Amino acid sequence: MKTGTSRIGIGLLGILLALTVYVAVDNWGSHWFGRPDVATPAPTTASAPASTPGNAAPNAAQIERGQYLARVGNCIACHSAKGAPPMAGGRRIDTPFGGVYSSNLTPDPATGLGQWSADDFWQALHHGRSQNGRLLVPAFPYNHTSVITREDSDALLAWLHSLAPVQQAPTPHTLMWPVGTQPALAVWRSLFFKPSPFVADAKQSAEWNRGAYLVQGLGHCAACHSPRNALGASGPVDDLSGGLMPIVNWYAPDLTRDRETGLASTPLAEIVRLLGTGTSAHAQTSGPMAEVVQHGTQYTTPADLQAMAVYLQSRAQKAPATDTPAARAPVSLRVAEMGLKTYERHCAQCHGDQGQGVRTANGQVAYPALAGNRTVQLRDPTNLVQMVLHGGYSPATAGHPRPFGMPPFVLELDDRDIAAVLTHLRTQWGNQGGEVTPLQVNRIRASQDQ
């Protein structure tokens, strides 16, 4: 995976270089660097006072609101390095083009946001520009943060300014040249970025619009649930059509396809429960989504979770029904026998002889059923391979504090064993998934070893 991605990057290098030369010669020092590419930000409203150095401190309600918004947006996940103070930045975010290090969002005046005004912060969220006007790399999802209202932007900064300052100088990015240069970023933005301030749909309810605002903006769901092109750009902020997440190698399912997520047919209460606790009557979160629940959605109010569920279900119900399973080739007897033996040895004790799963006395899912499981039957088996290799763990949340987990088999099972057992559970008990090959397993295993 990494080798293929590198080839894509090298192949694009010539194009980017040519564009960089053009932009540098034609626009140097004027259009791209000296001023915002859109109108001057709207003035701060009276209900959301500017949080600027030297101004009166914002009120407690605004700070509390900002903390809530930061949690809903899962800001801590990217802006906190392991073992370092929260929100002090420095976490490496790997991309197909190299490493990006997150910014220090504490109010340190030298290395953080201590000297940032509300206008500066709005410019970063809405226009993707730093305090000095420099273009930010799109690992920061400013296409989604441009959805955020000015009032919420000011509240976020008010909370960040209330934190203890941490002096931590930014770590330089390690992006391949010229990807991280200002001219190249300007070209990328001209192709793929336009601020998308939220506009309510008058035909929908206030609850639906609130859910749309959260999903498209703070939740930035399309950052994972939208396919990315060769230049790393995802679809529009409301594109939830699913795709393989680069580098981390997890598949974010299509949220508009009931066959992949069940959002169209699942009761709203169960969608809310899944987002708030990481588990529901028929599903559990794992991988990157478990982290989203752990650090973000479990802190979301029931009303906001309900709004998100209403919006997501509406999107899924309006999507065209194109879920006819593809015809699958018959599985060889050798693979079938190997898969059955591996399942009986390592899986049946928890998931049941017939893939029926196990529930606790209070009805919680202990070990999910594999029969009829949508994740098991996804066309892309990447997530299954990841869980067998590295284990499957739901988040520990207030609503589900002691989740059961699945151990990793990365050292115990080889590629043929994993391919065979996954083929077994994808083709048994009425499941309609296709065969998994040792080559698919090997590619995913190798990508994690790079």
Side-chain angles (χ1 to χ4, degrees), residues 211 234 276 400 435:
S234 60
H400 190 51
E435 182 176 357

Side-chain angles (χ1 to χ4, degrees), residues 327-418:
R328 68 170 190 258
V331 178
S332 71
L333 181 60
R334 181 186 63 81
V335 171
E337 290 178 346
M338 181 185 297
L340 175 60
K341 290 180 180 179
T342 304
Y343 183 83
E344 290 175 340
R345 187 182 311 120
H346 296 287
C347 313
Q349 183 177 359
C350 294
H351 293 285
D353 293 336
Q354 299 301 313
Q356 71 272 24
V358 174
R359 291 182 177 272
T360 63
N362 62 0
Q364 296 273 18
V365 175
Y367 303 108
L370 303 178
N373 190 304
R374 289 181 173 85
T375 300
V376 169
Q377 300 177 80
L378 283 174
R379 295 179 184 179
D380 189 324
T382 296
N383 295 354
L384 284 180
V385 177
Q386 290 279 30
M387 284 189 279
V388 174
L389 285 173
H390 305 294
Y393 303 97
S394 292
T397 60
H400 190 51
R402 296 181 180 179
F404 290 78
M406 173 176 156
F409 291 93
V410 63
L411 300 179
E412 191 168 354
L413 299 179
D414 64 21
D415 297 341
R416 291 178 301 171
D417 292 329
I418 294 174

